[in-house]
Amino acid sequence: MTTIRPSMYFVQTWGCQMNERDSEIIAGMLDEMGMKQAVAPEEADLMVLNTCCVREKAEQKVYARIGELVKNKKANPDIFIVVCGCMVQQKGVPEHIARRFPEVNLILGTHNLYRLPELLKTAGNKGVLIEVLEDRPESFPDTLPVQTNKLKAKVNISFGCNNFCSYCIVPYVRGREVSRKPEAIIGEITHLAENGCKEVLLLGQNVNSYGNDNENYPDFSDLLLQVAAVEGIRRIRFMTSHPKGFSDKLIDTIAGCEKVCNHVHLPVQAGSTGVLKAMNRGYTRDQYLSLVERIKKNIPGVSLTSDIIVGFPGEKEEDFQNTLDLIRQVRFDSAYTFMYSPRRGTRAASLEDPVSPEVKRERLDRLMEVQNEISLELNREYVGRTVEVLLENRSERKDGRIVYSGRTCTNKIVSVENGENKDLMGQFVQVQITEAKTWSLKGRLV
Ligand code: 5AD
Ligand code: SF4
């Protein structure tokens, strides 16, 4: 068997922040093996595709990309192709990829990602090696590579999900919910802070159920306080929160702890109680609205964002009107809006669905229109105000002007025009907002 030794790698990522974090882990492991990250995929002899399967579109993009790489491989047989991530955790998918693209070298599941270095050494350049586990092994390592040169870092606090929302594939491909040891989380964050990290994003499919699986662990509120005690960390973000089990204690903790950002990503998914029930979300429209009321009342200036699905099987015009009405009541700062996509193996996939794709498309357009209007109105309220921004990007415009950008505590993107002649990267600055757009703000340093 011929084995090749790649030296330059490129990781391409689809999907959510969890996948982005996994891609950092992959990059960290490959760096530790002595490989270098390529700036462009064309320069790499190892291509890692970290995939998503939450909607069909994501999967189609991955298949198209594998096809392209396989074509390149015909001209350059030394390219090593790894396909990993959520998509390959689905039953039958690894075998399907292997049959359709025998040029792929390695297919690796989400539960044994950490075996990549060892498998790269053994996988040959002939035949597809499939390494996918059904479940997360007990022995899953608690310390995985972190990139230490970062201002902002993502930190896993839990893996998997127990909610089984009827449309969602995540519990099937990421397994049951397991909280990470608090010492491992705090250890990682301390290490990051010692290396200059100022902001952490705590990641879990359902962060507010952190610790529910182990009575010796703190609950999510107490974990936030432990993270806040780490010296050097100035901002703590977290996602995703689930409306079910979002406690008053958590609201008080967010309100009371200055380091915890005033932003809650709280997916509502639908505005009609009937649809929420069919989605198995575990709350009614009224319960969601009352939670939002408590959050807004107790956390002044909080920003709320959401995920919303239109066209769930059997969603009637009246249900959809309820969703529009809910977003007008809540006034989310922004929302990710999706058209329902049936996922094989989920409960909703077997539901009858009389709603046509055209009707769904039209509902999605109407939803986005209403939401964009609200986003712009809320952003306009910022004009004239002075806010704290952590500057994380610096770019030079064609005319030579330097423009910095960063985010507010409420997660608004702000670009700052008058930063010339100063090195402001990584700094917290006060910015007066001068202009509002739908998805971002502009301002001047004060
Ligand atoms: N179809 C459309 N959207 C989905 N999401 C999850 N599963 C599906 C699906 N089958 C959306 C949900 C979730 C976000 C990450 O993706 O809104 O919160
Ligand atoms: Fe999917 Fe629901 Fe779990 Fe979110 S909470 S990952 S939507 S099953």
Side-chain angles (χ1 to χ4, degrees), residues 15-16 52 54-58 167 265 267-270 279 306-312 315 320 323 335-341 360-361 363-365 367-368:
C16 65
C52 170
V54 81
R55 283 170 294 275
E56 196 188 342
K57 223 197 255 163
Y167 51 82
H265 184 63
V268 65
Q269 311 294 3
M279 286 178 162
S306 202
D307 293 346
I308 301 165
I309 298 175
V310 298
F312 185 80
E315 180 193 67
F320 175 68
T323 298
Y336 295 102
T337 52
F338 308 104
M339 184 144 59
Y340 169 72
S341 166
K360 292 183 184 194
R361 178 80 245 171
R363 284 182 191 163
L364 186 63
D365 290 343
L367 178 67
M368 289 195 299

Side-chain angles (χ1 to χ4, degrees), residues 1 14 44 69 78 80 94 102 119 154 171 180 194 218 220 251 255 258 273 321 323 346-347 378 386 398 419 436 443:
M1 183 160 66
W14 287 264
L69 290 178
D78 280 347
F80 206 85
L119 293 170
K154 301 181 183 73
R180 203 175 159 204
E194 284 166 359
F220 182 57
I251 298 177
E258 216 197 320
T273 294
Q321 286 294 341
T323 298
T346 62
R347 270 199 280 154
L378 292 179
T386 298
K398 276 196 204 100

